[in-house]
Amino acid sequence: MRATTGNKLALALLGATASALAAVLVLGVPAADPAPAGISKIKHVIVIVQQNRTFDNYFGTYPGANGIPMKNGIPTVCIPNPASGKCVRPARDSTDLNVGGAHGYSSAVADINGGKMDGFVAQAHPEKCRKNPQLQSCAPGTSAPDVIGYHDYHEIPNYWAYAKNFVLQDRMFTSSLSWGGPTGSLFMVSGWSARCKIEGNPMSCSSAVRTNPESPPDNPSGKIPNYAWTDLTYLLHRAGVSWGFYFFTGARAECNDYLPVCAPGTPNAKTPARWNPLPYFTTVRDNDQQANVRSISKFYEAAAKGTLPAVSWVVPNPTLSERNPGVVSTGESYVTGLVNAVMRGPDWASTAIFVTWDDWGGYYDHVSPPRVDENGYGLRVPGLVISPYAKRGFIDGQTLSFDAYLKFIEDVFLGGRRLDPETDGRPDSRPVVRERVAILGDLRRDFDFSQKPRKPVFLPLKPRQLDYSATWNGKRVSLISTPQVEVARVSDAKRIGRVRSFQSNDSAYHCLEGATLRAWSLPAEFPGRIVITRRGTPSCRAGTWVLPR
């Protein structure tokens, strides 16, 4: 293992103790190391799938993680913007509604650009802004789309709190080089995305990532897809292992106190059929397992009663998904409600919850994905592990993909039996057994089964949003917090004045209430912005803010 110290400021703002600041561990265990014993303590696995985010978009400045490359608190990467002929550095995005960018196969290839990871801005702006000119990131004078922005504990405090208290995976890749249909839906439950020529014949299937797989009947053709290859529920059914796939049907009964935007007695938005693929798998129909695909209301009910199945997949509706254009806080509140519901129920003590995002949504990430076969991997996305046995404040640096969820479920409930055409009793024509890819990490290393089961960490559905303001040129202006910029080390830094009467609801900066702070111009590094800094003292920690354009 290797230890890193990370950014003390951000962890302190999350309420970390001094000892927690000293070492955030990044997992670097060789593949040959034995996985920990005690996996049988897990009786329930829950996979929560959200939409359209990269690791850098949500955790690019998380202390100790493999985030956005920076020097002196300023990103060292600069992404070409064809519209301006210049390049754009990643910057914190304080907006709650994001546009994102194109995220199909061709866009993935263009974004990665042979490993340069610099195609994001070129792929993003024109189409989204033509369709959604009202979005803030498309306003006149906006120099770049929000695909290059990142969020932190200000916008997503609960996600950062889960990372601090449990496990953050900073090398989780989508399973395929494509959008969420193939990678976040089909690969998530079967380890493959394919098109099949013959109804119900698994040997007639071939990979479909570059060309999309057949879509469920909410697409314009209305055709029922032929998902004839073998999915994980086939193995679970044969072994007598219970499972459930939970989605939004749009019924009024699905509204409850755990949902942030759905008042009881009102209709809810439906989950698109393309996010709900299992009813169209031959195996599910042949085994009469369609009833396991259930309304989200059944998930909350099972969590409360302690009757969760062994394996659960949970997918959102568009409003709650964080997809483009999506509201970040609404999705985070929905996920918080799901986690709180499990933590309040009898099954918490034996549960492992995994949270991830189905594809990158066009947002910037600096890590080039490894190639394991003709289909992927795809771009890096966030991954969280929440469990009473999860290691605390652990950053998992193993190479992972959604295939790791299949592998973990197979290890917990099936004795390590895989979706392998040579051994699973239902051969199909998949090119690779994804769970056996050599570089794929082992999720069991995110757990410490020797520890006493940890108590729930309940978080508010609507956490307080931190804000900062000061007076500049006689007007009250908002300030945006940034990673700690070491202004004195920036060659073009020039002091241009002061802001007065600093105010914030952030308890970390109560010591600055009413203070006067220095304002700087850093034209090469922060073009068109003013940087506000405060050096740290024994009684008041350092801080950096910028005035929005």
Side-chain angles (χ1 to χ4, degrees), residues 234-250:
Y234 171 78
L235 294 181
L236 296 175
H237 176 69
R238 288 183 65 187
V241 178
S242 59
W243 65 270
F245 191 99
Y246 298 93
F247 72 107
F248 286 83
T249 67

Side-chain angles (χ1 to χ4, degrees), residues 424-472:
D424 64 18
R426 191 179 184 274
D428 57 27
S429 49
R430 68 184 62 214
V432 173
V433 177
R434 278 299 194 85
E435 303 97 299
R436 292 201 172 115
V437 168
I439 66 171
L440 183 66
D442 189 338
L443 292 177
R444 291 179 291 183
R445 295 192 179 113
D446 290 342
F447 298 85
D448 180 358
F449 294 111
S450 67
Q451 72 186 15
K452 183 180 179 180
R454 294 168 52 196
K455 294 181 179 180
V457 178
F458 296 110
L459 298 177
L461 292 189
K462 295 184 178 181
R464 183 182 64 172
Q465 297 295 311
L466 302 178
D467 59 69
Y468 312 86
S469 66
T471 299
W472 172 253

Side-chain angles (χ1 to χ4, degrees), residues 53-55 103-105 107-109 111-112 117 120 171-179 182-184 187 209 357-361 363 365 367-381 399-403 434 439:
R53 299 289 162 172
T54 62
F55 185 88
H103 48 283
Y105 174 81
S107 296
V109 172
D111 285 349
I112 295 168
M117 307 304 290
F120 300 89
R171 198 170 165 79
M172 171 66 76
F173 298 93
T174 62
S175 291
S176 73
L177 200 63
S178 190
W179 61 288
T183 193
F187 265 97
V209 170
W357 284 255
D358 72 333
D359 67 51
W360 83 110
Y363 293 98
D365 195 83
V367 176
S368 180
R371 181 74 179 267
V372 297
D373 63 14
E374 64 194 58
N375 296 314
Y377 294 147
L379 282 88
R380 196 174 59 146
V381 294
T399 297
L400 299 168
S401 72
F402 301 160
D403 312 312
R434 278 299 194 85
I439 66 171

Side-chain angles (χ1 to χ4, degrees), residues 59-127:
F59 292 97
T61 58
Y62 189 85
N66 181 12
I68 299 167
M70 292 195 181
K71 181 179 180 181
N72 300 326
I74 298 171
T76 58
V77 293
C78 202
I79 308 305
N81 182 358
S84 67
K86 300 179 181 179
C87 67
V88 188
R89 296 184 189 274
R92 185 177 149 238
D93 183 356
S94 61
T95 61
D96 201 17
L97 178 63
N98 293 158
V99 183
H103 48 283
Y105 174 81
S106 61
S107 296
V109 172
D111 285 349
I112 295 168
N113 194 18
K116 295 179 182 179
M117 307 304 290
D118 66 357
F120 300 89
V121 176
Q123 288 291 302
H125 205 214
E127 178 182 0

Side-chain angles (χ1 to χ4, degrees), residues 102-421:
H103 48 283
Y105 174 81
S106 61
S107 296
V109 172
D111 285 349
I112 295 168
N113 194 18
K116 295 179 182 179
M117 307 304 290
D118 66 357
F120 300 89
V121 176
Q123 288 291 302
H125 205 214
E127 178 182 0
K128 286 291 181 181
C129 288
R130 280 198 301 270
K131 293 181 178 180
N132 303 282
Q134 78 284 358
L135 292 167
Q136 185 169 344
S137 61
C138 298
T142 302
S143 62
D146 57 9
V147 294
I148 203 66
Y150 60 81
H151 298 290
D152 65 11
Y153 60 90
H154 293 86
E155 296 83 39
I156 47 173
N158 287 3
Y159 287 150
W160 276 50
Y162 288 136
K164 179 179 94 62
N165 285 284
F166 298 100
V167 175
L168 174 66
Q169 297 160 331
D170 73 353
R171 198 170 165 79
M172 171 66 76
F173 298 93
T174 62
S175 291
S176 73
L177 200 63
S178 190
W179 61 288
T183 193
S185 295
L186 297 175
F187 265 97
M188 188 69 74
V189 298
S190 72
W192 197 22
S193 172
R195 279 182 174 266
C196 306
K197 295 181 179 179
I198 302 174
E199 181 73 27
N201 185 341
M203 294 304 295
S204 71
C205 307
S206 58
S207 295
V209 170
R210 298 190 184 193
T211 58
N212 290 333
E214 293 180 293
S215 293
D218 59 358
N219 73 90
S221 72
K223 181 181 178 182
I224 301 297
N226 174 27
Y227 297 160
W229 67 97
T230 307
D231 68 279
L232 183 60
T233 70
Y234 171 78
L235 294 181
L236 296 175
H237 176 69
R238 288 183 65 187
V241 178
S242 59
W243 65 270
F245 191 99
Y246 298 93
F247 72 107
F248 286 83
T249 67
R252 284 178 166 81
E254 291 176 337
C255 291
N256 60 60
D257 292 339
Y258 289 112
L259 294 174
V261 293
C262 186
T266 61
N268 208 342
K270 295 182 180 180
T271 297
R274 64 184 181 276
W275 300 351
N276 178 21
L278 282 173
Y280 311 105
F281 273 88
T282 301
T283 56
V284 174
R285 296 196 300 269
D286 287 352
N287 292 328
D288 294 322
Q289 296 286 286
Q290 296 97 319
N292 289 348
V293 182
R294 304 164 179 160
S295 163
I296 189 68
S297 62
K298 298 298 183 182
F299 177 84
Y300 296 109
E301 180 181 313
K305 292 181 177 180
T307 57
L308 286 168
V311 179
S312 300
W313 293 275
V314 186
V315 295
N317 61 34
T319 303
L320 303 173
S321 68
E322 300 160 64
R323 72 187 293 266
N324 305 333
V327 177
V328 173
S329 62
T330 302
E332 182 189 50
S333 295
Y334 156 71
V335 171
T336 301
L338 291 171
V339 174
N340 284 351
V342 176
M343 288 181 170
R344 286 197 173 96
D347 290 333
W348 162 248
S350 58
T351 294
I353 303 173
F354 299 98
V355 183
T356 194
W357 284 255
D358 72 333
D359 67 51
W360 83 110
Y363 293 98
Y364 170 74
D365 195 83
H366 80 280
V367 176
S368 180
R371 181 74 179 267
V372 297
D373 63 14
E374 64 194 58
N375 296 314
Y377 294 147
L379 282 88
R380 196 174 59 146
V381 294
L384 295 165
V385 184
I386 304 168
S387 171
Y389 295 103
K391 295 176 180 178
R392 186 186 298 272
F394 194 69
I395 300 179
D396 183 349
Q398 299 179 97
T399 297
L400 299 168
S401 72
F402 301 160
D403 312 312
Y405 300 139
L406 300 176
K407 181 179 177 181
F408 183 81
I409 292 168
E410 292 160 358
D411 288 342
V412 173
F413 300 113
L414 300 173
R417 293 189 295 278
R418 307 298 183 208
L419 279 168
D420 185 340

Side-chain angles (χ1 to χ4, degrees), residues 13-80:
L13 292 171
L14 287 169
T17 64
S19 60
L21 294 173
V24 177
L25 298 180
V26 179
L27 191 61
V29 183
D33 283 6
I39 194 172
S40 61
K41 294 180 180 180
I42 299 298
K43 307 296 184 184
H44 308 277
V45 174
I46 301 169
V47 182
I48 298 172
V49 186
Q50 291 294 95
Q51 301 265 322
N52 292 184
R53 299 289 162 172
T54 62
F55 185 88
D56 280 345
N57 182 243
Y58 270 7
F59 292 97
T61 58
Y62 189 85
N66 181 12
I68 299 167
M70 292 195 181
K71 181 179 180 181
N72 300 326
I74 298 171
T76 58
V77 293
C78 202
I79 308 305

